[in-house]
Amino acid sequence: MKKFKLGGAGFYGSPTWSPDSRKISFADNALTLYWIDLGTGAVKGIASEYLYQPGGQAQMRTSWSPDSKWIAYTLGTPTFFRRVHVYSLDQDRSFPISDGLSSVDEPTFDAEGKYLWFLASTDAGPVNQWFDMSNSDLGLTYSLYLAVLRKDLPNPLAKESDEEKPKDEKKEAEKPAAKPEAPAAKEAAKEPAKAPEALRIDFDGLENRIVTVPIPAGVYDNLQAGEGGKLFYRKFDPPPTPTSGGQGDSSIRVYDLATRKDEAFGPACDAFELTADRKKMMVVSRGTWSIIPAAGKPEPGKGRLNLDAISVRVVPEAEWKQIFDEAWRVNRDFFYAPNMHGVDWEAMRLRYRPLAQAVNHRADLTYVIGELIGELNAGHTYVGGGDMPMPPKVKVGMLGAQFERDAQTGYYKIAKILRGQNWGRTIRSPLTEIGVNVKEGESLIAINGTPISKLNDLYEALLNTVGKQVTLKINARPEEKESRDVVVIPIENEQQLYYYTMVQENIEKVDKATGGRVGYVHIPDMGVAGLNEFVKHYYPQLRKKALIIDVRGNGGGSVSPMIVERLRREIAMFEMSRDTIARPDPDGLLLGPKVCLMNEFSASDGDIFPYRFKRYGLGKLIGKRTWGGVVGIRGSLPLLDGGQLMKPEFAPFGLDGKTWIIEGVGVEPDIYVDNDPAKEFAGIDEQLNKAIEVILDELKTKEVQIPLIPPFPIRVK
């Protein structure tokens, strides 16, 4: 084994071997691209990113030319578009290939060094702005392109002649194929492998030698050049929108320059990689690994690797030592502030290492690492997971109701039935389904024939009943006589029912208290669920006179810019058409005043939303100071045993260019209201009551009326 000193920022990724096996290109965590000469150990920098890009190191993948003297790569522009460059090892210089007006990815040299394949999108702008998220419901599609690198090469996709071939060409084509040679003759006929020709790129006029490959635009990745002008790639079939849920599916496809055909090559694919000689392919698909030929069509099941026989001896203490050191090093190299918030980070390593060495369980190691990273005094310093025993859980069926036990009989009164949307699968309330006909105030007498008066808890009879039919004995009184049987199907978790019930009750409360004039929207997080809730409740209430927007308990995410942009939309005119009423233009806006409810559990992007709300003058903030954690995370690097460690990597600062905002202090309300826990438990929401009071007061002076349509003009004189 030979070691090389790489320099750079410390963490390295995206390694790619050169075809001659003498060099490797790679990137570091500062998003600088390098290559190393394995013969001399010399390391040279190629390029560095201007801004952090969403894909991080993974987006800095490279493609070597067949002669190992050129490297193709992409570099992000300051506007998050990606631009193709090629780097000459001989000249130690990069040359741009694309103009930066389209977003380009995955440049890939073909096997003969004649062409450069790449993906590009000219409509990527709204999607590429990454953490802006103002267009998070849009999907990004690419088209496939090919650049002809030399002037003397023809267009491989030029329109073919439709003239009939001469007779002699026909006869040649009709000749029978030559018989296969005997093995000995084959060996004799073999010639030593020739060194690849030196690659030449004619940069003059190259922009005019880029052609579109005739396949539909789609979601593609993992371009890999095969033999004979073939290009393998992965086609991804995503859900209709990023917020519609589901994982989608993917498959391997191959485009053949010789036949100009694009065909399916393999089934569902999580990842694939061609071997260096381009003759075989490793495929990962739905948990299975296979090695298959790159020629022809793969046979189902053939080439599958038997991984069941692989076993690894694990020494937990050795793993834990490495994981502790890795957790310390990850924060040293990725934490957004190189000064580590003034913490002596080396001293922290020495302080906590003896505790890490003393642990006897993975959960204890997680606790020690949590204490270590807690010294940074920053939000989003999360650690968890790892290799530890997890006992199987027995699921308890839930009925979607609150119960009160009758002290005399031991039966349970149904105090409250949680609301549901039974037409959907995720918010199903068992006691409200068709044919059940159970009412609040009735009593639960027995479950599957077991009288619950004899049980310590009614849920004893609901063990392992999730998704199964259960017979409940129900009566209007707490007694068995004259009771009736109903069949229900319990659910696993009531959380969504409690949330749905809360939102519906708040909508009704606001509607009743304001005479139907004020709308109410709760946003649980700034991710998919939160965006869906906003869309679901905001647009149907656009013609309300005012709005209470509630981000209490918001768990964060990244879509606050999108939601704030919708709330900031301003009217420019009114629009009408014959026989209908007038409407605002642009539409999709609520004309009246707004207030925002928040509390100490409004976190991360749930902090940032009230900050934006106040910064743009959208209305008053009511409630309590927010959580105060906005140093953000982008995901975990893999720990040795599969554990996770989030590293705070980016943070906001103020428009004055001097002040670090929100982190550690939160966002202060304009009107401070703290809910009394006892009153809140009893259903009295003092924060919401204050919001109703404030918004009604503002409506006295800020209500906007849509005018009647004016008299129609007369255009003749």
mmCIF file with all atom_site columns, all heavy atoms in Angstrom, residues 686-697:
data_model
loop_
_atom_site.group_PDB
_atom_site.id
_atom_site.type_symbol
_atom_site.label_atom_id
_atom_site.label_alt_id
_atom_site.label_comp_id
_atom_site.label_asym_id
_atom_site.label_entity_id
_atom_site.label_seq_id
_atom_site.pdbx_PDB_ins_code
_atom_site.Cartn_x
_atom_site.Cartn_y
_atom_site.Cartn_z
_atom_site.occupancy
_atom_site.B_iso_or_equiv
_atom_site.pdbx_formal_charge
_atom_site.auth_seq_id
_atom_site.auth_comp_id
_atom_site.auth_asym_id
_atom_site.auth_atom_id
_atom_site.pdbx_PDB_model_num
ATOM 1  N N   . GLU A 1 686 ? -54.939 31.200 23.730 1.00 0.00 ? 686 GLU A N   1
ATOM 2  C CA  . GLU A 1 686 ? -54.865 32.658 23.924 1.00 0.00 ? 686 GLU A CA  1
ATOM 3  C C   . GLU A 1 686 ? -54.096 33.344 22.804 1.00 0.00 ? 686 GLU A C   1
ATOM 4  O O   . GLU A 1 686 ? -54.382 34.507 22.475 1.00 0.00 ? 686 GLU A O   1
ATOM 5  C CB  . GLU A 1 686 ? -54.230 32.954 25.278 1.00 0.00 ? 686 GLU A CB  1
ATOM 6  C CG  . GLU A 1 686 ? -55.093 32.482 26.459 1.00 0.00 ? 686 GLU A CG  1
ATOM 7  C CD  . GLU A 1 686 ? -54.426 32.716 27.809 1.00 0.00 ? 686 GLU A CD  1
ATOM 8  O OE1 . GLU A 1 686 ? -53.360 32.124 28.040 1.00 0.00 ? 686 GLU A OE1 1
ATOM 9  O OE2 . GLU A 1 686 ? -54.983 33.488 28.604 1.00 0.00 ? 686 GLU A OE2 1
ATOM 10 N N   . GLN A 1 687 ? -53.120 32.665 22.211 1.00 0.00 ? 687 GLN A N   1
ATOM 11 C CA  . GLN A 1 687 ? -52.388 33.260 21.091 1.00 0.00 ? 687 GLN A CA  1
ATOM 12 C C   . GLN A 1 687 ? -53.297 33.433 19.879 1.00 0.00 ? 687 GLN A C   1
ATOM 13 O O   . GLN A 1 687 ? -53.291 34.486 19.232 1.00 0.00 ? 687 GLN A O   1
ATOM 14 C CB  . GLN A 1 687 ? -51.169 32.387 20.746 1.00 0.00 ? 687 GLN A CB  1
ATOM 15 C CG  . GLN A 1 687 ? -50.099 32.399 21.839 1.00 0.00 ? 687 GLN A CG  1
ATOM 16 C CD  . GLN A 1 687 ? -49.015 31.366 21.612 1.00 0.00 ? 687 GLN A CD  1
ATOM 17 O OE1 . GLN A 1 687 ? -49.213 30.374 20.916 1.00 0.00 ? 687 GLN A OE1 1
ATOM 18 N NE2 . GLN A 1 687 ? -47.857 31.570 22.222 1.00 0.00 ? 687 GLN A NE2 1
ATOM 19 N N   . LEU A 1 688 ? -54.083 32.415 19.576 1.00 0.00 ? 688 LEU A N   1
ATOM 20 C CA  . LEU A 1 688 ? -55.018 32.527 18.456 1.00 0.00 ? 688 LEU A CA  1
ATOM 21 C C   . LEU A 1 688 ? -56.091 33.569 18.744 1.00 0.00 ? 688 LEU A C   1
ATOM 22 O O   . LEU A 1 688 ? -56.488 34.340 17.855 1.00 0.00 ? 688 LEU A O   1
ATOM 23 C CB  . LEU A 1 688 ? -55.656 31.165 18.165 1.00 0.00 ? 688 LEU A CB  1
ATOM 24 C CG  . LEU A 1 688 ? -56.642 31.112 16.989 1.00 0.00 ? 688 LEU A CG  1
ATOM 25 C CD1 . LEU A 1 688 ? -55.993 31.582 15.697 1.00 0.00 ? 688 LEU A CD1 1
ATOM 26 C CD2 . LEU A 1 688 ? -57.196 29.707 16.820 1.00 0.00 ? 688 LEU A CD2 1
ATOM 27 N N   . ASN A 1 689 ? -56.538 33.632 19.995 1.00 0.00 ? 689 ASN A N   1
ATOM 28 C CA  . ASN A 1 689 ? -57.523 34.650 20.361 1.00 0.00 ? 689 ASN A CA  1
ATOM 29 C C   . ASN A 1 689 ? -56.981 36.055 20.123 1.00 0.00 ? 689 ASN A C   1
ATOM 30 O O   . ASN A 1 689 ? -57.693 36.940 19.633 1.00 0.00 ? 689 ASN A O   1
ATOM 31 C CB  . ASN A 1 689 ? -57.936 34.488 21.822 1.00 0.00 ? 689 ASN A CB  1
ATOM 32 C CG  . ASN A 1 689 ? -58.758 33.233 22.055 1.00 0.00 ? 689 ASN A CG  1
ATOM 33 O OD1 . ASN A 1 689 ? -59.284 32.644 21.118 1.00 0.00 ? 689 ASN A OD1 1
ATOM 34 N ND2 . ASN A 1 689 ? -58.864 32.821 23.314 1.00 0.00 ? 689 ASN A ND2 1
ATOM 35 N N   . LYS A 1 690 ? -55.712 36.261 20.479 1.00 0.00 ? 690 LYS A N   1
ATOM 36 C CA  . LYS A 1 690 ? -55.094 37.574 20.261 1.00 0.00 ? 690 LYS A CA  1
ATOM 37 C C   . LYS A 1 690 ? -54.977 37.866 18.762 1.00 0.00 ? 690 LYS A C   1
ATOM 38 O O   . LYS A 1 690 ? -55.206 39.010 18.324 1.00 0.00 ? 690 LYS A O   1
ATOM 39 C CB  . LYS A 1 690 ? -53.725 37.632 20.928 1.00 0.00 ? 690 LYS A CB  1
ATOM 40 C CG  . LYS A 1 690 ? -52.929 38.907 20.660 1.00 0.00 ? 690 LYS A CG  1
ATOM 41 C CD  . LYS A 1 690 ? -53.685 40.179 21.055 1.00 0.00 ? 690 LYS A CD  1
ATOM 42 C CE  . LYS A 1 690 ? -53.718 40.342 22.566 1.00 0.00 ? 690 LYS A CE  1
ATOM 43 N NZ  . LYS A 1 690 ? -54.268 41.691 22.939 1.00 0.00 ? 690 LYS A NZ  1
ATOM 44 N N   . ALA A 1 691 ? -54.636 36.864 17.973 1.00 0.00 ? 691 ALA A N   1
ATOM 45 C CA  . ALA A 1 691 ? -54.527 37.069 16.528 1.00 0.00 ? 691 ALA A CA  1
ATOM 46 C C   . ALA A 1 691 ? -55.872 37.486 15.947 1.00 0.00 ? 691 ALA A C   1
ATOM 47 O O   . ALA A 1 691 ? -55.946 38.371 15.079 1.00 0.00 ? 691 ALA A O   1
ATOM 48 C CB  . ALA A 1 691 ? -54.024 35.797 15.852 1.00 0.00 ? 691 ALA A CB  1
ATOM 49 N N   . ILE A 1 692 ? -56.951 36.856 16.411 1.00 0.00 ? 692 ILE A N   1
ATOM 50 C CA  . ILE A 1 692 ? -58.291 37.225 15.945 1.00 0.00 ? 692 ILE A CA  1
ATOM 51 C C   . ILE A 1 692 ? -58.614 38.668 16.331 1.00 0.00 ? 692 ILE A C   1
ATOM 52 O O   . ILE A 1 692 ? -59.135 39.450 15.526 1.00 0.00 ? 692 ILE A O   1
ATOM 53 C CB  . ILE A 1 692 ? -59.341 36.255 16.521 1.00 0.00 ? 692 ILE A CB  1
ATOM 54 C CG1 . ILE A 1 692 ? -59.146 34.851 15.938 1.00 0.00 ? 692 ILE A CG1 1
ATOM 55 C CG2 . ILE A 1 692 ? -60.757 36.761 16.255 1.00 0.00 ? 692 ILE A CG2 1
ATOM 56 C CD1 . ILE A 1 692 ? -59.981 33.777 16.612 1.00 0.00 ? 692 ILE A CD1 1
ATOM 57 N N   . GLU A 1 693 ? -58.271 39.023 17.552 1.00 0.00 ? 693 GLU A N   1
ATOM 58 C CA  . GLU A 1 693 ? -58.524 40.392 18.032 1.00 0.00 ? 693 GLU A CA  1
ATOM 59 C C   . GLU A 1 693 ? -57.761 41.408 17.183 1.00 0.00 ? 693 GLU A C   1
ATOM 60 O O   . GLU A 1 693 ? -58.318 42.440 16.758 1.00 0.00 ? 693 GLU A O   1
ATOM 61 C CB  . GLU A 1 693 ? -58.092 40.491 19.493 1.00 0.00 ? 693 GLU A CB  1
ATOM 62 C CG  . GLU A 1 693 ? -58.192 41.882 20.081 1.00 0.00 ? 693 GLU A CG  1
ATOM 63 C CD  . GLU A 1 693 ? -57.514 41.975 21.449 1.00 0.00 ? 693 GLU A CD  1
ATOM 64 O OE1 . GLU A 1 693 ? -57.550 40.982 22.210 1.00 0.00 ? 693 GLU A OE1 1
ATOM 65 O OE2 . GLU A 1 693 ? -56.931 43.038 21.750 1.00 0.00 ? 693 GLU A OE2 1
ATOM 66 N N   . VAL A 1 694 ? -56.480 41.140 16.911 1.00 0.00 ? 694 VAL A N   1
ATOM 67 C CA  . VAL A 1 694 ? -55.646 42.082 16.162 1.00 0.00 ? 694 VAL A CA  1
ATOM 68 C C   . VAL A 1 694 ? -56.125 42.202 14.717 1.00 0.00 ? 694 VAL A C   1
ATOM 69 O O   . VAL A 1 694 ? -56.226 43.306 14.168 1.00 0.00 ? 694 VAL A O   1
ATOM 70 C CB  . VAL A 1 694 ? -54.165 41.642 16.215 1.00 0.00 ? 694 VAL A CB  1
ATOM 71 C CG1 . VAL A 1 694 ? -53.311 42.468 15.252 1.00 0.00 ? 694 VAL A CG1 1
ATOM 72 C CG2 . VAL A 1 694 ? -53.622 41.764 17.640 1.00 0.00 ? 694 VAL A CG2 1
ATOM 73 N N   . ILE A 1 695 ? -56.430 41.070 14.085 1.00 0.00 ? 695 ILE A N   1
ATOM 74 C CA  . ILE A 1 695 ? -56.800 41.120 12.671 1.00 0.00 ? 695 ILE A CA  1
ATOM 75 C C   . ILE A 1 695 ? -58.151 41.808 12.481 1.00 0.00 ? 695 ILE A C   1
ATOM 76 O O   . ILE A 1 695 ? -58.361 42.537 11.494 1.00 0.00 ? 695 ILE A O   1
ATOM 77 C CB  . ILE A 1 695 ? -56.788 39.708 12.055 1.00 0.00 ? 695 ILE A CB  1
ATOM 78 C CG1 . ILE A 1 695 ? -56.585 39.798 10.533 1.00 0.00 ? 695 ILE A CG1 1
ATOM 79 C CG2 . ILE A 1 695 ? -58.060 38.938 12.354 1.00 0.00 ? 695 ILE A CG2 1
ATOM 80 C CD1 . ILE A 1 695 ? -55.195 40.166 10.115 1.00 0.00 ? 695 ILE A CD1 1
ATOM 81 N N   . LEU A 1 696 ? -59.076 41.636 13.420 1.00 0.00 ? 696 LEU A N   1
ATOM 82 C CA  . LEU A 1 696 ? -60.359 42.337 13.327 1.00 0.00 ? 696 LEU A CA  1
ATOM 83 C C   . LEU A 1 696 ? -60.168 43.836 13.475 1.00 0.00 ? 696 LEU A C   1
ATOM 84 O O   . LEU A 1 696 ? -60.838 44.638 12.800 1.00 0.00 ? 696 LEU A O   1
ATOM 85 C CB  . LEU A 1 696 ? -61.330 41.809 14.383 1.00 0.00 ? 696 LEU A CB  1
ATOM 86 C CG  . LEU A 1 696 ? -61.953 40.433 14.103 1.00 0.00 ? 696 LEU A CG  1
ATOM 87 C CD1 . LEU A 1 696 ? -62.792 39.985 15.292 1.00 0.00 ? 696 LEU A CD1 1
ATOM 88 C CD2 . LEU A 1 696 ? -62.802 40.471 12.833 1.00 0.00 ? 696 LEU A CD2 1
ATOM 89 N N   . ASP A 1 697 ? -59.252 44.218 14.355 1.00 0.00 ? 697 ASP A N   1
ATOM 90 C CA  . ASP A 1 697 ? -58.969 45.639 14.532 1.00 0.00 ? 697 ASP A CA  1
ATOM 91 C C   . ASP A 1 697 ? -58.355 46.227 13.258 1.00 0.00 ? 697 ASP A C   1
ATOM 92 O O   . ASP A 1 697 ? -58.693 47.350 12.851 1.00 0.00 ? 697 ASP A O   1
ATOM 93 C CB  . ASP A 1 697 ? -58.029 45.832 15.724 1.00 0.00 ? 697 ASP A CB  1
ATOM 94 C CG  . ASP A 1 697 ? -57.842 47.296 16.068 1.00 0.00 ? 697 ASP A CG  1
ATOM 95 O OD1 . ASP A 1 697 ? -58.848 47.971 16.376 1.00 0.00 ? 697 ASP A OD1 1
ATOM 96 O OD2 . ASP A 1 697 ? -56.687 47.773 16.011 1.00 0.00 ? 697 ASP A OD2 1
#
